[in-house]
Every structure is written in C-alpha cells, then in structure tokens.
Amino acid sequence: MNSKTVFLNTDEEMPLLGLGVYKAVGENEVETAILHAADAGYRLIDTASAYANEDGVGRGIAQCGIPRKDLFITTKIWNNAQRLGDITGAFNRSLERLQLDYIDLYLIHWPVPGCFLNTWKELVKLYESGRVRSIGVSNFEIRHLEELASVSDVVPAVNQIEFHPYWYQKELLEYCKSKGIQVQAYAPLARGAYLDNDIICVLATKYGKTPAQIGLRWALQKGVAVIPKSTNPQRIVSNGDIFDFEIEEEDMAYIDQLNQNFRSAGIPEDLQGTAF
Ligand SMILES: NC(=O)c1ccc[n+]([C@@H]2O[C@H](COP(=O)([O-])OP(=O)(O)OC[C@H]3O[C@@H](n4cnc5c(N)ncnc54)[C@H](OP(=O)(O)O)[C@@H]3O)[C@@H](O)[C@H]2O)c1
C-alpha cells in the first residue's frame, strides 16, 4: 500500500488512511488488528477514551515494530470529562493507557453544550505544552465551529465527522475546507449500509475493486481522510488498497447522488434530546 498523507494547519503530516478501532474490545483484538494494519502499511490509529481500548492500543503500538515518529495516534476527550472540566486529567490518563508521551491528534469527541468552548481553551493549552501535536474536534456542525471561532484564534486542525456516500455532508465539508480544517471521515463504510447498493456494486465491478474500496476512494477524492474499522486481516488489507485507482468524475457524480443523510453511528445517550 502506498498510503498518502496531508499537511494539517499545524504543519503536521497526517496519513489519509487510518485504522478505526471502535468496538475492538475482545481479548487481544485491538492489539492483533494493529499488528495486521501496521504490516499492511497503516500508520494512523484512531481511538478514544470512550472506546475503552486505549490500553490495548498502547500494547499494539508497542508491539508493532513501527518507530513512534512514523505513527500518528488520535484519541478523544469524552463528554463526562468535559462536564467535569477535567481536561488535563483525562488527557494524562489517555497518555498513560496508551504508554505514550505525546499524542498526534487530540479531539473533542462531541460538542457538549455549555462545555465545548472551555474544553477547547484547555486543548489549546495542551497543544502549547507540546504534548499534543495537533488539536481538533469531532461531530461539530458549522454552528459549533463558528462559536469556537468567536472565542479562539486557534482553528481546529481536523473535524472528524460521519461521512460516506449515504451521508455526503457537502456544505460542512466546503465550510471546513474554506477554514483550513481537514475533514476526516468516521464510519466511512456506514458500517456496511451502502456496500450492497446497486450503483456502488456496478462501479466496484467496473473498477475491479470492492464496494468498500469504492466508498473509501470516493471520500479520498473529495479531499477527506478515512478511518475504516476492521479487525479482520483480509478486510484491513483490502480497505487500505485504495491508492492505485481513480474514480472518474462522472462516476463520482453518481455516487454523490446516493446521499440520504443516513446516520449509521448513534448520538451518545447523554447528548440525546439536547441540541448538541
Ligand atoms: N468521532 C466519532 O464520534 C466516531 C463515531 C464512530 C466511529 N468513529 C471512528 O471511526 C471508525 C470507523 O467507524 P465505524 O467503526 O463506526 O464504522 P465503519 O468503519 O464504517 O464500519 C465498520 C464495520 O464494517 C465492517 N467492515 C470493515 N471493512 C469491511 C469491508 N471491507 N466489507 C464489509 N464490511 C467491512 C467491520 O467489521 P469487521 O471488523 O469484522 O471487518 C465493522 O463491523 C471507528 O472505529 C472509530 O475509530 C468515530
């Protein structure tokens, strides 16, 4: 695999492909997935304190044989820590579980109302301390990004959002691009929802690729980084094999039309009912 990278607004280089590890909590499951991913050329791992597997991710990183400087590790601050204002404490605990002395990208997992502006100010301090190389956000809509900009000059390096052919968040993507915020697609496979779509399957046959590779490549060609999750060795390899072909413009337009604002990942219970 010839994985490509992008420079963030912090001048840090981030791989466009990463391994998502949400729900990889079985015995040695995440460690083994990281070893397979490292062999397949992945250099970015996306975890979160809420995934309850940072310690396993830490073991996987330690075992995978890739020098730390060549890896890009993302983790996220969860909602309860934001409500408690325990930002530095949560960050320190993540570092400890991951057995690392710095994080490449630290994200606000969700824009908790009444909290996320303060969380951002604390993340800026962590960034200035050098213990995190880039800071960003996740699940932020335009209104959240505008609120952030009204209190801070530091622009998020990344906005990690659900993004795939069934939820093409075009307006948000264009807004982020205009502000120099790199969009990173979570649930880029929509957890399988579009993999049997007729148009996706026709295009998979046309390009000699899998439906998953078509969806991931579509996102890449939109300028969006992807973090598909798999713990299956064959799927880890095939999900990474997306840098050797190009979807033609006409076919990109067919995929654009599949949008149905389909949300595959749920809103956390503690944010349901709030205008997060
Ligand atoms: N910031 C946020 O709020 C947020 C929310 C959700 C997710 N995320 C991050 O984004 C990552 C990816 O999202 P996700 O895990 O929700 O969903 P996803 O990557 O869209 O889909 C993962 C599911 O698809 C299966 N799969 C993987 N490759 C496949 C393939 N080639 N063909 C068919 N099925 C395949 C996986 O099973 P196998 O493992 O068996 O292959 C798994 O069940 C997460 O792991 C997490 O790191 C972030």
Side-chain angles (χ1 to χ4, degrees):
M1 177 182 38
N2 179 19
S3 178
K4 299 280 191 296
T5 59
V6 64
F7 279 94
L8 304 177
N9 62 17
T10 48
D11 287 336
E12 297 292 332
E13 197 172 2
M14 182 180 87
L16 284 166
L17 169 75
L19 181 75
V21 299
Y22 179 47
K23 290 192 176 162
V25 288
E27 201 184 342
N28 285 327
E29 192 180 7
V30 77
E31 291 91 326
T32 308
I34 289 172
L35 300 190
H36 286 296
D39 280 351
Y42 290 64
R43 294 293 177 265
L44 186 156
I45 312 293
D46 180 85
T47 185
S49 56
Y51 302 169
N53 62 7
E54 287 178 314
D55 45 358
V57 170
R59 287 190 292 273
I61 292 169
Q63 290 162 16
C64 77
I66 308 292
R68 171 68 185 97
K69 67 176 177 47
D70 296 333
L71 292 171
F72 190 104
I73 308 302
T74 302
T75 192
K76 316 183 188 87
I77 181 151
W78 188 241
N79 304 341
N80 57 347
Q82 292 194 61
R83 291 203 178 90
L84 292 169
D86 185 24
I87 315 305
T88 307
F91 178 78
N92 287 337
R93 290 191 290 278
S94 284
L95 269 190
E96 199 173 311
R97 287 189 290 261
L98 289 161
Q99 302 172 52
L100 298 177
D101 55 12
Y102 72 90
I103 299 289
D104 294 276
L105 178 63
Y106 198 45
L107 301 177
I108 301 181
H109 208 145
W110 284 86
V112 177
C115 297
F116 70 86
L117 296 179
N118 178 58
T119 306
W120 184 249
K121 288 179 190 162
E122 295 298 314
L123 257 57
V124 170
K125 288 183 199 162
L126 287 170
Y127 172 64
E128 288 169 349
S129 78
R131 295 198 301 153
V132 51
R133 301 273 161 96
S134 300
I135 51 175
V137 297
S138 178
N139 296 296
F140 274 46
E141 299 171 358
I142 293 173
R143 61 198 169 95
H144 302 117
L145 294 167
E146 292 197 324
E147 218 180 316
L148 208 68
S150 72
V151 301
S152 173
D153 292 335
V154 182
V155 178
V158 167
N159 187 12
Q160 187 184 107
I161 57 171
E162 181 161 349
F163 186 94
H164 47 69
Y166 277 3
W167 198 11
Y168 174 18
Q169 301 206 51
K170 190 165 188 275
E171 198 191 346
L172 179 54
L173 173 61
E174 281 168 7
Y175 178 88
C176 288
K177 281 187 177 173
S178 75
K179 302 291 180 191
I181 302 169
Q182 175 64 44
V183 171
Q184 188 179 47
Y186 78 66
L189 306 172
R191 299 186 176 164
Y194 65 79
L195 300 182
D196 61 354
N197 176 278
D198 288 347
I199 288 176
I200 296 287
C201 291
V202 166
L203 292 176
T205 304
K206 172 175 171 177
Y207 290 95
K209 286 285 178 179
T210 66
Q213 288 167 336
I214 295 293
L216 295 170
R217 181 72 208 181
W218 171 82
L220 285 183
Q221 288 183 214
K222 295 282 178 197
V224 173
V226 292
I227 47 168
K229 178 265 172 183
S230 184
T231 50
N232 173 289
Q234 287 78 35
R235 290 195 283 275
I236 288 172
V237 171
S238 71
N239 291 344
D241 188 16
I242 50 177
F243 294 97
D244 64 346
F245 76 113
E246 179 107 16
I247 302 173
E248 292 162 16
E249 222 169 281
E250 192 186 8
D251 294 333
M252 287 291 286
Y254 284 127
I255 303 174
D256 291 357
Q257 286 164 21
L258 299 179
N259 178 55
Q260 45 188 265
N261 296 343
F262 173 83
R263 188 192 284 275
S264 71
I267 297 170
E269 238 167 64
D270 64 352
L271 287 183
Q272 282 173 23
T274 66
F276 69 81

